[in-house]
Amino acid sequence: MSLRSGFPVVITLVLLTAAITLAPPLFSAGIVPRQHNPRAVHLASTATLGYAGVGPNTISLNWTQSSDTSFQAYVLQRYSTLLSGWETIANLLYRTNTTFFVSGQDANAIGLWQITYQNTTGFQNSNTLSVTQPSVASLSYSQPASTSMLLQWNNNAKYGGLLHFSSYQVMESINGGTYFVRASYSSFDSLSYVVSGLSPSTNYSFYLNTTDECIGSGCPTGSLSSSLSKIVTISTPGALVAIAHASPVTLDVRELASFICTSGGGAPPYVYSWTFGDGSSGTGASPSHTYNAPGMMNVVCTVTDGFGNISDAKPIALPVYVDPSVKSFTLTPANSDLGQRITFFVSTSGGNGSLTFSYTNLPAGCSSANSSSFSCIPTSSGTYDVTVTVTDQGQETANSTLRLSIAPPRVLGLPRDTGLAVIFGGILGTSAVAILSVVFLRRKGNVL
């Protein structure tokens, strides 16, 4: 009886074992096999992966939507060189969700992406999408003036899908201080900014903060993403100054004068221009000039720097003289006697500054004097060639000579020789009268 009652059970177990062996594995539906050994199943068309927008560190991916009613998930994957394989970025469980925003990418990096589509019968991979992240904005500058500069930049991002432009922020630091927002733009096409009011002798640093954001269904919380440009730094020049010198500090007509002009502050290249005070002009940092007429010359050096700033050096007051000359050298009286007062007169022209006078070969009783006129009483007679020498402050000299004749003292108001002759003649005459008188008396006495 036990055998009969157990027979149906044995038959049932045998049939069940055969059914399990021969039947398809329905209980395993939905389990994803290893990707390198996919099951050969019939699925819907392979999803095509692409991107609608990409920035330096963001990307907005999209793909074709599946029409398979047995859809289970889209698995977004990125290739990891660290893992040497694909890593899952997101599991998307809605068939109509065909976009995804990813941040945290590296600028200029190349990324590989794929979508694995799953349904109840298996999975299938999309195309492998290679995406090169663009570079960050390239910030550059030019400085049209010493107190201003022009910042310019580009934007290499492509916006679309969930990726949208948010703003540009120009960040500034002064002399190494904390960065602050100098300017902000919400327009994608705003690609330049003029920084004005720069102070001299100051260091300025700038960078551009480009902010993108995710807009739309499925965006993560706090989806703003910033990419920072390189930092540009400038040092503004100090105030432009100019200093000029002349050599020599006084000069004569037709003597070569040399000038030097130096500049400080400003920005090269420097251009030097001169006015020499006599109506002529020149260029260069160290010109030379010759004056053809005397006078007080007002010499000015003007420096223009690379920004067009202009600075005048302090004017040089440069006296230009002609060499001294003696216009006349006279004596009063023209003819003099010993013991008579005489006066010398000198008339001059030209000369550098005040003049000095000296006289040589004077008769005894007369001494040289530093004067254009002086008087003396000669104590010796004779003929003298007296020379006057005139010297200016530049040690230039001029001289002139006159002949001085000093007659002997007068006798009886007549010239000495004539007076002596008269006296001698008188003596002779008196002697003759006396002799004649004696002779006459003697003769008279004899007669008596």
Side-chain angles (χ1 to χ4, degrees):
M1 181 177 177
S2 60
L3 293 174
R4 290 178 181 178
S5 60
F7 181 74
V9 174
V10 172
I11 294 299
T12 300
L13 293 174
V14 171
L15 293 175
L16 181 59
T17 302
I20 294 173
T21 303
L22 298 175
L26 298 178
F27 56 87
S28 63
I31 298 177
V32 180
R34 298 176 66 87
Q35 292 187 29
H36 63 272
N37 186 25
R39 297 189 60 182
V41 292
H42 178 71
L43 301 174
S45 299
T46 302
T48 301
L49 179 64
Y51 66 92
V54 63
N57 49 25
T58 55
I59 187 169
S60 178
L61 296 162
N62 57 16
W63 55 90
T64 54
Q65 179 180 322
S66 171
S67 60
D68 185 3
T69 57
S70 64
F71 167 84
Q72 287 187 331
Y74 300 118
V75 180
L76 179 62
Q77 296 178 317
R78 177 179 59 192
Y79 188 81
S80 171
T81 55
L82 181 63
L83 301 176
S84 298
W86 295 92
E87 61 174 334
T88 297
I89 301 301
N91 287 288
L92 307 173
L93 304 179
Y94 296 96
R95 182 166 55 88
T96 58
N97 189 354
T98 59
T99 59
F100 194 79
F101 175 85
V102 184
S103 62
Q105 306 304 296
D106 295 327
N108 299 311
I110 298 175
L112 298 178
W113 300 87
Q114 71 176 14
I115 284 285
T116 297
Y117 165 75
Q118 293 182 352
N119 67 4
T120 56
T121 60
F123 69 92
Q124 191 163 346
N125 295 328
S126 71
N127 58 299
T128 298
L129 176 67
S130 176
V131 180
T132 301
Q133 303 291 142
S135 59
V136 298
S138 177
L139 181 64
S140 62
Y141 76 93
S142 59
Q143 196 169 1
S146 58
T147 58
S148 65
M149 65 180 296
L150 173 64
L151 292 171
Q152 294 178 296
W153 59 88
N154 56 18
N155 191 333
N156 299 309
K158 174 185 177 183
Y159 295 103
L162 299 177
L163 181 62
H164 295 263
F165 171 76
S166 178
S167 67
Y168 298 118
Q169 288 183 323
V170 178
M171 308 299 294
E172 177 182 355
S173 170
I174 301 176
N175 288 330
T178 303
Y179 280 92
F180 60 92
V181 178
R182 175 71 185 237
S184 183
Y185 295 99
S186 59
S187 172
F188 170 79
D189 296 322
S190 298
L191 299 176
S192 64
Y193 174 67
V194 176
V195 185
S196 59
L198 300 179
S199 300
S201 303
T202 305
N203 295 322
Y204 293 90
S205 296
F206 300 90
Y207 71 85
L208 183 71
N209 179 10
T210 304
T211 304
D212 300 329
E213 61 182 327
C214 180
I215 300 177
S217 177
C219 286
T221 302
S223 61
L224 290 175
S225 177
S226 294
S227 59
L228 310 181
S229 73
K230 69 178 184 298
I231 296 174
V232 297
T233 299
I234 69 163
S235 296
T236 54
L240 179 64
V241 295
I243 301 174
H245 301 279
S247 178
V249 294
T250 61
L251 67 154
D252 296 323
V253 171
R254 290 179 292 279
E255 181 181 1
L256 185 66
S258 299
F259 302 94
I260 295 177
C261 191
T262 58
S263 57
Y270 300 101
V271 176
Y272 302 88
S273 59
W274 296 81
T275 56
F276 294 119
D278 62 347
S280 58
S281 59
T283 59
S286 54
S288 299
H289 185 65
T290 300
Y291 293 93
N292 295 318
M296 182 62 71
M297 306 302 170
N298 192 46
V299 183
V300 178
C301 171
T302 299
V303 179
T304 303
D305 73 356
F307 292 126
N309 298 319
I310 297 175
S311 178
D312 289 336
K314 181 180 178 180
I316 302 172
L318 182 64
V320 178
Y321 302 95
V322 293
D323 289 341
S325 65
V326 177
K327 297 171 63 177
S328 64
F329 183 25
T330 60
L331 173 68
T332 301
N335 297 305
S336 60
D337 297 322
L338 188 66
Q340 184 181 9
R341 178 175 293 276
I342 59 175
T343 302
F344 296 93
F345 295 94
V346 181
S347 175
T348 63
S349 64
N352 178 351
S354 60
L355 303 176
T356 60
F357 299 82
S358 64
Y359 301 83
T360 58
N361 201 30
L362 292 167
C366 296
S367 299
S368 177
N370 182 17
S371 176
S372 61
S373 66
F374 78 99
S375 299
C376 64
I377 300 175
T379 59
S380 62
S381 60
T383 301
Y384 303 89
D385 290 331
V386 180
T387 299
V388 61
T389 299
V390 180
T391 306
D392 68 5
Q393 291 184 349
Q395 300 305 306
E396 300 290 343
T397 62
N399 53 63
S400 181
T401 301
L402 64 77
R403 176 159 289 182
L404 169 62
S405 295
I406 306 297
R410 289 179 176 268
V411 177
L412 300 178
L414 298 172
R416 182 180 179 184
D417 291 343
T418 303
L420 291 175
V422 170
I423 293 172
F424 183 73
I427 293 172
L428 290 178
T430 301
S431 298
V433 170
I435 292 171
L436 290 174
S437 298
V438 170
V439 170
F440 177 76
L441 291 175
R442 284 180 179 177
R443 286 182 178 177
K444 185 178 181 181
N446 294 330
V447 172
L448 294 177

